[in-house]
Amino acid sequence: MDLEVLNGLLRPKSVAVVGASDTPGKIGYTVVRSLLESKYEGPIYPINPKGGTIQGLQAYTSVLEVPGEIDAAAVVVPAKLVPQVATECGQKGVKGLIVIASGFSEVGLHDLEDQVVTIAHEYGMRVLGPNIVGILSNSDKCNASFAPFLPLAGSAALVSQSGALLIAMDASTYIRRVGFDKMISIGNMSDVDFADLIEWLDQDASTECVSLYIEGIRDGRRFMETARKAGKPIVALKSGVSAHGAAAAASHTGSLAGAQKVYDAAFGQAGVVMASDLNNLFDRTLALSLQPPLTGDNLLILTNGGGVGVLATDSAERYGLPLRFAPKDVQVELKKHMPEFGSAKNPVDLTGMAGRDWYQDSTQYAYGHSWVDGLVVLYCETAMTDPQNIAEGIKAAVDASGVKGKPIVVSFVGGERSEAAMRWLVENGIPAYNEPDTAVNAMAALREYARNKAKASNGFTKLTDVDEAKARAIIAQVRAAGDRNVTEMESKMVFEAYGLPVVTSRQATTEDEAAEMANAMGYPIVMKILSPDILHKSDAGGVKVGLESEAEIREAFRTIMANAKAYNANADIHGVVVQKMAPWGTEVILGSVNDATFGPTLMFGLGGIFVEVLKDVTFRVAPVGVEETLSMLSDINGAPILKGVRGEAPRDTKALADVLSRYSQMICDLADEIQESDANPMIVYEEGAGACIVDARIILKPRKS
Ligand code: ADP
Ligand code: MG
């Protein structure tokens, strides 16, 4: 990262507005006015071919005429003039271009956009945009945008791919009381992208939390790497995850949107916390910008109302933080701060009689107790208590405890007095929400952050007992035959080269050959059609299981051939696969996709005929180490099946996790060849008995033209 250049672009000491105007209503007018109204302290240079003065400032006909240095140039001229402006800015020694102008890749003019970036790079400049609102920074009193004012001051930073949304969020910071130091509009991301900004904001002293609105990422791997390295929390709202939404986002910004599950996986692996909607983005940003991560699962809830306590308990379970009973010493101590009919278990119900003292004392004790990893304090407005008084009690307790690095969030339910008290709490660094569920969700964000961060460091160790050359040789043969569908037989050979446990399988072209092979292998046998044109062999009547004798083999051979011909008369038939019949076990599916954004991505789920209907699958961007593949096994809804249900012994999850990790290496090593693959099914046995892949499939990438 070129810190000096990015500082010049994002925290400019001087700004030129190229295309500045004196006519209200024009963007070139608004940007100059925004800078003036934000009380920007550096020099502002309006640039307009007419010269003269603009909004009381001396205007120049070109940046080249400006006497002083220019850090950033906000460019608001028509798109076709931008390359010329870029050249002049380069000659002037400008550090960065804030290209507000639109009419580039978002309307199909990719070349024009590329041209601007090429020119900028020739001069060592960076380009933000085009097609953006601009940049806003409270700590620099710099509103170099056409958003009307700087956001409510705070310690979060927003990076938004949508300009309209940025302006709307800017305004709503004052209603929602979530403070931002910076808001950066990223637009078409021709040059500066999310990864650049994450890296830069991570070192920015005024930023505590990076908040992202994302429609599509170009280089998913780089995004993940940068996010992983960041020391500050990152929370992201990703739109365009539905098929229809993806189409809207793509036409909107000219970038590709990936599938939700892949994004979820990638963000989780990169330590990024997800937000589910705009409200959630604000709520989670507030907590992440004010509080430390929640590093353990012991959440304690204090309340004066049973109702909100139960609601919060439900929420805790929903967001993956199920409550546990507080230990004895905590219960004994907290009992002192409540009437006889209160409860000290968790949630701790101080009852409606609780005033400031009980709140303060129990908060201070609980917050200071080593068992408590995080504290949620709930309060229902009552006739007897003053919300402000309660708020001050909570704050005093936190201060007096001397505890650092432990999160606390608050929810007050009530009227205007409660709202005012919560505002005061937020101003004093304690996130407060008017809905217990939101408070618990915010706490869950702090937990997800800690969990994801810990996960993000789980390394993958490359296995050496693999034969990549052999795998490539098999693929080359398939390519030579002009195919992209790798048959079961060839796929199994590729898998085998990677040390994956495939069932013993051989190819036979005649009935006699099949019989001979079966006799040599031993019964029971499975026989399947072998053709690159028949992907779903069962559908074609091309699978015969449980064959017990040579006579059955011979009959099966004829039936399979006849069925295949009936199914697809033109199919190119390579013969049959004769294989050992694997004993019964639990069928799972391993799969991969070469995602357009994140590259090779591993999938795991329970196999069998319902996999497509239930969609009970989980993804990880490959490669993944064993610790992470183990976590995949518990991700799916069907996880208990692997642990053994109805008297069944637990499955060999260790072997399963090893195979998944190995598989993830294969799809990475061969990422230039493999578009999709699966092992469906792989049969998993009891602990210690391993697993066996009985069907395999690879689809190669289209040939590079
Ligand atoms: P396809 O998916 O193309 O229809 P498969 O090779 O997956 O064909 O075979 C269909 C089903 O037959 C599998 O899902 C599995 O239940 C069973 N099967 C296939 N091969 C074997 C084998 N070698 N051992 C045991 N069962 C098998
Ligand atoms: Mg199959």
Side-chain angles (χ1 to χ4, degrees):
M1 177 179 56
D2 189 341
L3 196 61
E4 202 205 316
V5 172
L6 283 177
N7 283 345
L9 175 70
L10 301 163
R11 305 196 60 189
K13 296 203 173 63
S14 51
V15 179
V17 181
V18 185
S21 164
D22 234 351
T23 314
K26 290 201 158 183
I27 290 185
Y29 173 89
T30 310
V31 175
V32 175
R33 193 203 54 194
S34 296
L35 281 162
L36 290 170
E37 286 184 352
S38 63
K39 306 207 161 52
Y40 180 65
E41 284 162 355
I44 306 166
Y45 302 113
I47 311 295
N48 186 300
K50 292 190 202 106
T53 62
I54 287 176
Q55 296 179 57
L57 298 165
Q58 162 83 56
Y60 298 88
T61 54
S62 153
V63 287
L64 294 168
E65 302 302 317
V66 171
E69 280 184 20
I70 303 172
D71 264 357
V75 183
V76 289
V77 298
K80 62 178 190 307
L81 303 179
V82 176
Q84 175 61 24
V85 168
T87 305
E88 287 177 20
C89 286
Q91 288 163 350
K92 173 66 186 167
V94 169
K95 295 198 178 99
L97 303 178
I98 302 167
V99 185
I100 295 173
S102 53
F104 293 86
S105 66
E106 80 281 12
V107 295
L109 298 182
H110 294 272
D111 289 351
L112 186 63
E113 192 166 298
D114 293 346
Q115 196 191 346
V116 173
V117 176
T118 307
I119 296 169
H121 287 180
E122 268 167 31
Y123 291 100
M125 296 187 292
R126 297 297 304 266
V127 180
L128 188 66
N131 187 23
I132 59 173
V133 169
I135 58 164
L136 300 93
S137 168
N138 265 309
S139 51
D140 301 297
K141 294 190 200 163
C142 177
N143 179 4
S145 83
F146 60 88
F149 37 70
L150 290 170
L152 177 75
S155 56
L158 174 74
V159 180
S160 171
Q161 211 168 345
S162 158
L165 196 62
L166 182 142
I167 297 176
M169 285 179 74
D170 179 21
S172 66
T173 58
Y174 290 89
I175 305 284
R176 297 170 191 258
R177 312 308 299 174
V178 180
F180 286 81
D181 187 65
K182 293 182 176 67
M183 288 194 164
I184 300 169
S185 173
I186 197 165
N188 295 0
M189 301 191 293
S190 67
D191 176 25
V192 173
D193 63 6
F194 282 108
D196 292 315
L197 291 176
I198 288 170
E199 207 177 355
W200 185 79
L201 288 165
D202 199 44
Q203 60 77 53
D204 175 54
S206 319
T207 301
E208 294 295 340
C209 167
V210 180
S211 200
L212 309 173
Y213 169 74
I214 300 174
E215 287 175 355
I217 293 174
R218 294 242 171 72
D219 186 346
R221 297 259 161 178
R222 181 157 170 262
F223 175 90
M224 288 178 75
E225 240 166 71
T226 324
R228 224 175 235 155
K229 280 196 212 126
K232 293 173 186 170
I234 302 168
V235 54
L237 173 60
K238 166 77 178 80
S239 71
V241 288
S242 59
H244 190 77
S251 57
H252 185 53
T253 63
S255 56
L256 281 163
Q260 170 163 24
K261 286 207 169 192
V262 177
Y263 264 94
D264 278 350
F267 283 13
Q269 287 175 266
V272 174
V273 174
M274 293 290 250
S276 54
D277 58 25
L278 272 180
N279 284 334
N280 196 235
L281 182 64
F282 272 108
D283 296 333
R284 294 192 143 204
T285 296
L286 182 67
L288 288 162
S289 64
L290 297 181
Q291 291 290 311
L294 175 60
T295 53
D297 287 325
N298 292 333
L299 182 67
L300 193 81
I301 296 180
L302 285 181
T303 175
N304 68 341
V308 289
V310 179
L311 283 172
T313 304
D314 291 348
S315 302
E317 177 129 1
R318 182 157 55 242
Y319 303 128
L321 283 173
L323 291 192
R324 301 160 174 179
F325 286 131
K328 261 270 116 39
D329 60 325
V330 174
Q331 294 197 28
V332 169
E333 178 62 29
L334 289 175
K335 263 288 182 192
K336 296 178 189 161
H337 310 291
M338 62 180 73
E340 198 49 47
F341 57 93
S343 167
K345 290 200 171 94
N346 193 18
V348 177
D349 187 357
L350 303 173
T351 78
M353 289 171 67
R356 170 174 175 154
D357 287 352
W358 287 358
Y359 260 102
Q360 182 165 340
D361 293 345
S362 40
T363 298
Q364 186 170 333
Y365 174 79
Y367 193 63
H369 196 281
S370 61
W371 181 82
V372 176
D373 295 314
L375 189 62
V376 175
V377 183
L378 309 176
Y379 164 76
C380 282
E381 211 172 299
T382 68
M384 265 94 75
T385 50
D386 172 25
Q388 180 61 29
N389 210 357
I390 303 290
E392 284 168 20
I394 294 169
K395 167 75 175 140
V398 168
D399 291 346
S401 74
V403 174
K404 293 263 175 311
K406 191 185 280 192
I408 176 169
V409 305
V410 169
S411 172
F412 281 16
V413 179
E416 275 166 24
R417 292 189 306 154
S418 285
E419 289 296 324
M422 283 194 284
R423 225 162 130 149
W424 182 88
L425 278 168
V426 170
E427 276 156 19
N428 283 281
I430 298 177
Y433 306 90
N434 59 12
E435 166 70 63
D437 182 75
T438 318
V440 175
N441 183 285
M443 191 54 102
L446 298 170
R447 183 76 191 109
E448 283 163 36
Y449 173 50
R451 277 194 194 132
N452 289 352
K453 257 315 189 222
K455 220 166 61 171
S457 56
N458 280 347
F460 158 82
T461 6
K462 213 170 156 92
L463 302 164
T464 49
D465 59 339
V466 303
D467 193 343
E468 182 178 336
K470 186 169 175 193
R472 286 191 179 277
I474 297 157
I475 290 171
Q477 274 177 22
V478 177
R479 289 273 196 207
D483 289 325
R484 276 183 60 208
N485 290 334
V486 185
T487 61
E488 174 181 340
M489 193 61 221
E490 295 151 337
S491 302
K492 279 179 171 168
M493 285 157 76
V494 173
F495 284 17
E496 202 167 26
Y498 265 83
L500 294 167
V502 292
V503 73
T504 307
S505 309
R506 296 190 61 192
Q507 175 176 356
T509 43
T510 64
E511 191 185 308
D512 287 343
E513 214 181 346
E516 204 179 300
M517 278 175 189
N519 286 333
M521 261 181 218
Y523 296 92
I525 286 288
V526 176
M527 189 191 287
K528 301 178 199 171
I529 189 71
L530 183 57
S531 163
D533 302 317
I534 301 177
L535 280 183
H536 300 286
K537 301 174 292 286
S538 306
D539 294 354
V543 179
K544 295 283 169 214
V545 299
L547 305 174
E548 296 285 359
S549 65
E550 185 175 326
E552 284 184 31
I553 292 285
R554 289 182 180 280
E555 194 194 325
F557 186 90
R558 280 176 240 143
T559 317
I560 286 174
M561 286 303 172
N563 286 351
K565 291 224 169 65
Y567 182 76
N568 178 356
N570 301 321
D572 170 18
I573 290 167
H574 294 185
V576 294
V577 189
V578 177
Q579 58 195 261
K580 293 279 283 182
M581 169 115 177
W584 182 88
T586 306
E587 294 196 352
V588 299
I589 177 170
L590 275 55
S592 79
V593 288
N594 214 329
D595 184 78
T597 306
F598 294 101
T601 303
L602 180 67
M603 185 189 83
F604 168 74
L606 287 182
I609 47 176
F610 298 128
V611 65
E612 262 118 63
V613 182
L614 298 176
K615 296 195 167 63
D616 186 15
V617 289
T618 182
F619 291 84
R620 292 291 186 282
V621 174
V624 263
V626 172
E627 231 172 295
E628 184 74 30
T629 54
L630 269 175
S631 81
M632 293 177 83
L633 308 186
S634 41
D635 268 3
I636 56 167
N637 296 328
I641 294 173
L642 297 172
K643 298 209 174 80
V645 279
R646 302 250 167 129
E648 254 178 46
R651 305 288 100 183
D652 196 339
T653 46
K654 164 89 180 57
L656 187 47
D658 282 341
V659 171
L660 274 164
S661 180
R662 197 174 267 279
Y663 197 99
S664 80
Q665 176 170 337
M666 177 185 74
I667 61 175
C668 287
D669 286 356
L670 306 173
D672 56 323
E673 292 283 13
I674 299 181
Q675 180 60 43
E676 279 174 50
S677 72
D678 64 42
N680 184 24
M682 174 163 98
I683 305 177
V684 190
Y685 300 104
E686 291 179 12
E687 263 169 13
C692 179
I693 294 170
V694 300
D695 186 19
R697 169 152 69 134
I698 295 174
I699 295 171
L700 298 177
K701 283 188 152 184
R703 256 188 210 289
K704 286 148 233 136
S705 47

